[in-house]
Amino acid sequence: MRASSPARRSTSRAADATSPLWIIGHTAAPRWFVGASVAVNTALVVCLQVRVSRGIDNNASAGRTARRAGAAFLVASALIGSAGGAPGWLAVAVVVLGVVVLTVG
């Protein structure tokens, strides 16, 4: 799975460390949503990890997966960043979408 690749693990750590700070400091999302976003990420990783990692059995497939993970990180970062000026409910929806893109991508 992309979540188990070295590139994915490093981007996940970066997002895990900065997303809560961004949500609290720069969005109108409620504070309780920080825990909910981390829970969504964790649940997706636990549920999809084996399924998505199937088929990564050589360097070429690992490289493709790492490139997709990088693209997903870029899109997810843009989504989460765009939640900055949105009203609370829209910020929650955009951040959830960003978390899903980051985790599944």
Side-chain angles (χ1 to χ4, degrees):
M1 168 178 168
R2 286 164 253 170
S4 64
S5 71
R8 177 66 187 107
R9 284 193 302 264
S10 66
T11 58
S12 179
R13 286 185 206 128
D16 288 346
T18 59
S19 292
L21 297 173
W22 178 259
I23 292 168
I24 290 172
H26 299 283
T27 71
R31 289 188 181 274
W32 59 262
F33 179 67
V34 171
S37 69
V38 172
V40 167
N41 177 286
T42 301
L44 286 171
V45 168
V46 167
C47 293
L48 299 175
Q49 167 166 282
V50 173
R51 175 181 292 217
V52 176
S53 66
R54 288 185 193 138
I56 301 174
D57 52 3
N58 58 39
N59 288 338
S61 61
R64 285 189 300 274
T65 300
R67 285 189 295 277
R68 280 194 307 258
F73 183 71
L74 178 67
V75 171
S77 296
L79 283 168
I80 293 170
S82 69
W89 64 271
L90 184 58
V92 167
V94 171
V95 170
V96 166
L97 182 61
V99 167
V100 170
V101 168
L102 176 68
T103 307
V104 174

